[in-house]
Amino acid sequence: MLLTKIVILNWNGAAHLRHYLPGVVAAAPEGVGVVVADNGSTDDSVGILQREFPSVEVLRLDRNYGFAGGYNRALQQIEADCFVLLNSDVATPAGWLEPLLACLERNPDVAVAAPKLLADTDRSQFEYAGASGGYIDYLGYPFCRGRMLRTVECDRGQYDDERDVFWVTGAAFCCRAAVFRTLGGFDDDFFAHMEEIDLCWRMQLAGWRVRIVPQSAVYHLGGGTLTADSPRKVFFNHRNNLAMLFKCAAPGQRAVVALIRPWLDLLAAFSYLLQGRRDNFCAVFRAWRDFLRWHPALTAKRRFVRGSRVGLPCGIYRGSLLLRYFFGRRSFGNLL
């Protein structure tokens, strides 16, 4: 059996730890340790862990490094064959982890296996962050089996087949430690958002597969750190998506993105302004400003990433998600 550690990154999530961590500990298979890496919390998170969860290992980081940097620093200190990255607001039923580990053991070329993600507030629905496995379209817009833009489907078993996908959510991310380390982990510069999609893309360019295993399901609350319409989240999503495309996309795709995405992002910015969300309007422009400033660093990263390319990754939709969505194709089943 793979030596496995469940690692939860926490930042000021004392309430989530009290609510969700008992279930994580109870559902962990024998021999699988649970680690909480605290990302410089200023609440009573560490005290709660020490007083109420003596079986849980605690790693303390000196400040908040974000999702990407926090996990990178924490995982450097953990010895395991397999890391299971888990958000602090995820409910884990008994038996959820075994199918993921079995997938990695029977598929030596799979780098990441992930469960189906359902909403903890309504367990009949998929959860926005990952649903039943993720894809992107040619312009870089992510979508999932079970979630198209803001439209989320009910889970009726329609996406219960195990398959390779383009990306899986970082909310419940079971990966080979050696692959994570070899590829440098998440991109620290992303701080938060899109870092798992970027890593899944780089894994595929290095010859690995990414797989969804719906025989495992977990329940995600979502929005524990940033709400969906937070200006900070809008900024990170726009900036990091552009950076990921610049680093990882093939030349033809990059050219199409360079021609079309500025206009689409401008349209998105003005739609925020029409809604009275000047903060989000400004966030889109700040994202482009930072992306353009990143070009020298991203060029160096691109040379490294593209040098590892062995083939086209699975799951890039060769069309426009936005176009199909606005013409009424709002479920994964009728997109393709």
Side-chain angles (χ1 to χ4, degrees):
M1 180 179 174
L2 296 167
L3 176 61
T4 302
K5 293 289 182 68
I6 298 171
V7 187
I8 298 170
L9 187 69
N10 172 72
W11 181 71
N12 288 346
H16 288 331
L17 292 174
R18 275 201 165 124
H19 184 77
Y20 290 99
L21 189 53
V24 174
V25 173
E30 185 177 354
V32 174
V34 179
V35 182
V36 174
D38 187 76
N39 221 0
S41 291
T42 56
D43 66 1
D44 193 32
S45 291
V46 173
I48 287 170
L49 290 166
Q50 292 172 339
R51 292 190 303 269
E52 301 178 22
F53 300 97
S55 67
V56 172
E57 181 182 353
V58 180
L59 294 177
R60 300 184 68 173
L61 304 178
D62 62 316
R63 62 183 176 85
N64 182 10
Y65 291 96
F67 186 96
Y71 264 123
N72 285 347
R73 285 161 179 79
L75 297 180
Q76 287 173 0
Q77 305 176 52
I78 297 172
E79 289 300 321
D81 300 317
C82 181
F83 299 136
V84 182
L85 313 187
L86 193 68
N87 277 17
S88 62
D89 59 349
V90 172
T92 55
W96 78 279
L97 185 53
E98 289 85 344
L100 306 182
L101 297 177
C103 175
L104 293 182
E105 289 188 335
R106 69 175 178 266
N107 296 289
D109 59 343
V110 170
V112 178
K116 177 168 64 175
L117 203 68
L118 301 173
D120 196 34
T121 52
D122 180 354
R123 294 189 173 190
S124 68
Q125 282 198 317
F126 289 106
E127 209 280 321
Y128 178 90
S132 194
Y135 295 77
I136 63 169
D137 77 352
Y138 207 65
L139 296 174
Y141 292 98
F143 60 99
C144 305
R145 298 198 304 166
R147 188 266 294 175
M148 305 285 288
L149 298 182
R150 294 296 179 87
T151 301
V152 179
E153 298 178 47
C154 288
D155 176 24
R156 301 183 302 275
Q158 68 271 41
Y159 306 122
D160 275 356
D161 56 310
E162 181 179 324
R163 63 160 68 179
D164 289 354
V165 291
F166 186 76
W167 61 273
V168 292
T169 176
F173 190 90
C174 180
C175 69
R176 297 185 190 276
V179 178
F180 186 92
R181 289 179 170 134
T182 298
L183 295 179
F186 297 121
D187 189 327
D188 261 23
D189 291 334
F190 279 31
F191 191 80
H193 299 291
M194 296 279 171
E195 65 286 305
E196 77 269 53
I197 305 179
D198 173 75
L199 179 57
C200 286
W201 199 339
R202 289 187 283 121
M203 286 173 168
Q204 290 171 90
L205 292 172
W208 295 93
R209 294 158 59 205
V210 174
R211 201 150 177 87
I212 189 73
V213 185
Q215 292 73 30
S216 169
V218 297
Y219 306 97
H220 185 217
L221 179 62
T225 304
L226 292 175
T227 59
D229 289 326
S230 158
R232 192 162 167 81
K233 187 167 187 174
V234 169
F235 166 75
F236 283 134
N237 276 335
H238 278 80
R239 184 197 67 174
N240 294 349
N241 184 264
L242 292 167
M244 173 183 70
L245 288 162
F246 188 91
K247 287 192 319 181
C248 300
Q253 185 180 3
R254 284 180 69 211
V256 172
V257 169
L259 288 171
I260 299 176
R261 272 294 294 274
W263 300 105
L264 291 175
D265 285 358
L266 189 64
L267 183 63
F270 278 101
S271 73
Y272 285 127
L273 195 60
L274 290 173
Q275 296 168 37
R277 298 300 308 272
R278 183 176 173 80
D279 46 1
N280 285 352
F281 170 82
C282 294
V284 176
F285 286 94
R286 286 191 296 107
W288 269 92
R289 178 202 64 193
D290 281 17
F291 165 64
L292 294 173
R293 288 176 177 174
W294 266 4
H295 266 210
L298 290 172
T299 299
K301 290 180 181 181
R302 176 176 171 79
R303 282 196 291 266
F304 174 78
V305 170
R306 300 306 298 181
S308 68
R309 182 172 179 235
V310 296
L312 290 174
C314 161
I316 297 180
Y317 172 54
R318 305 288 173 163
S320 169
L321 171 65
L322 294 180
L323 191 62
R324 291 299 184 101
Y325 185 86
F326 288 114
F327 276 96
R329 298 192 176 185
R330 299 190 176 184
S331 73
F332 182 89
N334 64 26
L335 173 69
L336 304 177

